[in-house]
Amino acid sequence: MFKRVLIANRGEIALRIQRTCRELGIETVAVYSEPDRNARHVREADHAVCIGPGAALESYLVIDKIIDAAKQTGAEAIHPGYGFLSENAALTEACDAAGITFIGPPGAAMQAMGDKVSARKLMEEAGVPVVPGANDIDINDLETATREGERIGYPLMVKAAAGGGGRGIRLVERAEDLADAMRAAGSEAASSFGDATIFLEKYVSPARHIEVQVMADSHGNVRTFGERECSIQRRNQKVLEEAPSIAVTPEIRKRLCDAAEAAARSCGYRNAGTVEFLMDNDGSFYFLEMNARLQVEHPVTELVYGVDLVALQLAVANGEAIPDDIGLAEPHGWAMEARINGEDAYNNFTPDLGLVEHVELPTGPGVRFDTMLFAGLDVPVFYDSLLGKLIVWAEDRELAVKRLRRALTDLLVVGIETNAPFHLALLDHPDFQSGNFSTGWLESTFEMPPQPEDDPRQRTALVVAAIAASVAGSAPAAGKSGGGRTKWLQATREHAIGLRVQSGGGGWRRRDIASK
Ligand code: ADP
Ligand code: ADP
Ligand code: MG
């Protein structure tokens, strides 16, 4: 096995990969940008190399800096995590040239799947159903696009061949909006991915987003690990995932896994990958795309299949065969993951940043929290809003919902807003509880309840933090964004003059601390 692995990523996924490495006795090398200097992934690594300023284009996305860091520290392999360079074939080539093992698929398989149009063609050849659409659309040829649009029918999706992370996708309801959507998707794709190639897809609705975890080794084994249900989405991005899916029977699971295996075999895939499908109400499904990397939501699969996917990635990259007894059984129990984002659920989910003044992390039976959070973390502006993933396992779905609800109420974050109130409201929704949702449900049907005038969780958090500050002898520094820190001042002031506590009836009343 490798002695030392460089992790070319940050945040919760860098920490998650480090943990498995530590268990296997592998030393880790962290890379970090200047604003990430105090991040947990830096502190917990055996070695750490600064690779430049905050902008990812000048640090986490610079292949030469990553390769240099690996050479400098004697790392034999590079794990790319997700996002950043994870699906960049140039990194696999640079690794090959430097004699470093890339923990992921071969560059050719990555390229074949990274382009959604080429992936659609491969799937058609492999006999896997794809979403009806038109593959080769010239962004300037409105005439052909209009003709193809008529054939496919409306509504339809204009999508970027290089798209990812929900970007480069436009829904078109009527033919007269096609030209605008093509321009918008094309220019978003050009600026995000440097490639304006687009294609058209029928809009499948209502549909569920169902994806299959795949692992392939260099001995011809392709193993699948059932499905994940990822239909709870905002702006085409997942916010809560579960395994298994309430809509998938053992018979459908078998068909999904066979299709995913065919997808992996069609491109000579190796290592971990995910094949995404859209599934109709009647259980027929269509290939959407293949993500050639470890996925954000991989932990729900780990919990119901009893595997460590990162350990398998390392073994497979090291040339070992996937053990015979892994991934063959049906899923055991139920797992659910809430993506905890730094964003204000009551304010249209606008991202929130800055200093995390106090945190209490959920724990206890069946709870796993993969997170970069700690008190003192200054969430930088440069990266996405994912702070962590709160994952639970329970015997069945109903218990998993209850457990996730409990874990969410145990989570306290002071200093920045998180979307935990959203997750709590979601878990309480009858449609969610009955499993009656599709990819459009969250945005079309779910409504965020109004912010409680006095949110008991937030109140508790502020009180706890205020007490901590007063024990420490002073209120914490005002921080740079004065306005955002007023909660602190308010909380410490209230601590001094009296605390609001929740009354038994659910309302609020003010109690003088001195009278207690
Ligand atoms: P998943 O299907 O695993 O949820 P996403 O496609 O949402 O994956 O992206 C995973 C992560 O990678 C997210 O944090 C997202 O912000 C980031 N990401 C996605 N595409 C890109 C990209 N092209 N460049 C940089 N980061 C990206
Ligand atoms: P990304 O690479 O950004 O993850 P995907 O092609 O996987 O893009 O699509 C992301 C999401 O957008 C899907 O999970 C689904 O909710 C929606 N979507 C994409 N294509 C279609 C389609 N043809 N019909 C309906 N919804 C779609
Ligand atoms: Mg996708």
Side-chain angles (χ1 to χ4, degrees):
M1 184 45 82
F2 310 113
K3 290 196 175 59
R4 192 173 289 175
V5 169
L6 181 142
I7 299 158
N9 217 297
R10 65 181 298 280
E12 68 84 19
I13 193 62
L15 286 158
R16 190 263 165 272
I17 297 162
Q18 282 174 3
R19 290 197 176 105
T20 290
C21 288
R22 274 208 301 280
E23 287 170 16
L24 297 176
I26 300 170
E27 284 183 28
T28 59
V29 180
V31 292
Y32 63 98
S33 66
E34 282 151 19
D36 272 343
R37 189 172 299 277
N38 297 318
R40 265 175 74 188
H41 81 276
V42 181
R43 287 200 258 136
E44 293 186 20
D46 296 298
H47 309 270
V49 181
C50 182
I51 50 167
L57 271 173
E58 296 173 55
S59 49
Y60 295 107
L61 288 171
V62 185
I63 293 174
D64 289 347
K65 290 186 178 180
I66 304 284
I67 298 286
D68 283 349
K71 285 183 182 161
Q72 189 188 317
T73 54
E76 307 147 81
I78 294 180
H79 195 306
Y82 55 69
F84 294 129
L85 293 170
S86 62
E87 294 182 270
N88 189 320
L91 176 61
T92 67
E93 284 160 23
C95 282
D96 290 347
I100 295 167
T101 304
F102 177 77
I103 302 170
M110 189 185 273
Q111 257 164 341
M113 286 301 173
D115 181 309
K116 290 184 186 182
V117 172
S118 110
R120 282 170 58 87
K121 291 178 181 168
L122 268 175
M123 289 309 97
E124 280 169 344
E125 283 166 25
V128 175
V130 302
V131 182
N135 284 340
D136 295 299
I137 295 291
D138 183 330
I139 191 141
N140 298 312
D141 184 358
L142 186 59
E143 202 183 310
T144 309
T146 305
R147 198 172 55 241
E148 291 294 335
E150 289 308 315
R151 180 179 62 78
I152 297 164
Y154 288 86
L156 58 76
M157 298 286 242
V158 177
K159 297 174 66 170
R167 276 170 296 171
I169 300 182
R170 289 293 181 283
L171 173 63
V172 191
E173 307 267 7
R174 307 165 306 169
E176 49 267 47
D177 299 330
L178 183 60
D180 282 349
M182 283 168 63
R183 253 193 306 276
S187 65
E188 188 170 300
S191 64
S192 303
F193 315 108
D195 176 358
T197 310
I198 55 160
F199 63 106
L200 307 182
E201 260 181 20
K202 182 178 172 51
Y203 181 62
V204 185
S205 175
R208 287 174 182 268
H209 175 120
I210 304 285
E211 58 183 36
V212 175
Q213 177 68 52
V214 177
M215 184 71 73
D217 65 22
S218 49
H219 303 268
N221 299 306
V222 176
R223 211 64 62 73
T224 54
F225 297 82
E227 80 283 3
R228 292 185 286 257
E229 162 72 70
C230 308
S231 303
I232 301 294
Q233 301 182 355
R234 183 177 299 108
R235 300 175 195 127
N236 301 318
Q237 272 194 308
K238 303 155 187 165
V239 284
L240 178 143
E241 303 96 343
E242 44 187 314
S245 165
I246 199 165
V248 172
T249 61
E251 183 270 324
I252 299 175
R253 181 168 303 125
K254 171 89 174 63
R255 286 194 286 123
L256 280 165
C257 289
D258 287 349
E261 180 174 337
R265 290 198 186 279
S266 76
C267 63
Y269 201 81
R270 277 207 306 277
N271 217 285
T274 295
V275 185
E276 299 188 333
F277 299 95
L278 287 175
M279 191 174 97
D280 276 355
N281 280 338
D282 66 2
S284 34
F285 52 82
Y286 308 92
F287 172 83
L288 193 56
E289 65 161 339
M290 180 164 186
N291 290 324
R293 55 172 156 88
L294 187 68
Q295 201 101 342
V296 174
E297 55 275 19
H298 75 277
V300 291
T301 301
E302 295 188 317
L303 295 182
V304 295
Y305 281 90
V307 290
D308 179 334
L309 290 169
V310 173
L312 274 179
Q313 285 192 291
L314 289 161
V316 162
N318 191 40
E320 295 164 32
I322 303 169
D324 285 339
D325 55 344
I326 272 187
L328 299 175
E330 286 288 290
H332 174 59
W334 213 278
M336 231 172 239
E337 169 185 284
R339 295 195 190 197
I340 305 298
N341 295 331
E343 57 191 23
D344 187 351
Y346 294 114
N347 190 14
N348 199 26
F349 298 91
T350 24
D352 198 16
L353 320 151
L355 185 65
V356 175
E357 288 148 351
H358 181 80
V359 283
E360 288 180 20
L361 303 181
T363 171
V367 175
R368 165 176 167 182
F369 194 22
D370 285 14
T371 184
M372 66 192 278
L373 278 170
F374 65 94
L377 168 70
D378 201 352
V379 179
V381 66
F382 301 98
Y383 314 107
D384 66 48
S385 60
L386 186 73
L387 299 171
K389 305 170 323 203
L390 184 48
I391 310 133
V392 298
W393 180 91
E395 288 79 357
D396 60 36
R397 189 169 187 273
E398 203 183 321
L399 291 170
V401 169
K402 287 183 178 163
R403 184 161 279 170
L404 185 53
R405 160 162 261 300
R406 188 269 294 171
L408 283 162
T409 50
D410 286 350
L411 170 67
L412 293 180
V413 181
V414 179
I416 64 175
E417 301 294 335
T418 78
N419 61 348
F422 155 75
H423 283 296
L424 284 166
L426 173 66
L427 296 179
D428 281 347
H429 199 290
D431 288 352
F432 181 78
Q433 289 178 354
S434 63
N436 180 25
F437 52 78
S438 60
T439 54
W441 175 83
L442 188 63
E443 284 179 299
S444 69
T445 308
F446 175 83
E447 268 184 57
M448 193 61 200
Q451 183 162 19
E453 211 160 275
D454 230 333
D455 181 341
R457 295 174 59 259
Q458 189 60 19
R459 176 58 45 188
T460 313
L462 288 171
V463 168
V464 167
I467 290 168
S470 103
V471 166
S474 65
K480 20 185 212 302
S481 55
R485 300 284 94 79
T486 54
K487 282 178 286 185
W488 259 108
L489 298 176
Q490 191 189 327
T492 44
R493 208 176 298 130
E494 287 205 7
H495 176 62
I497 56 170
L499 289 171
R500 282 189 195 190
V501 292
Q502 191 170 17
S503 74
W508 290 95
R509 61 195 160 90
R510 188 173 272 279
R511 243 196 234 163
D512 194 338
I513 249 189
S515 72
K516 278 172 69 178

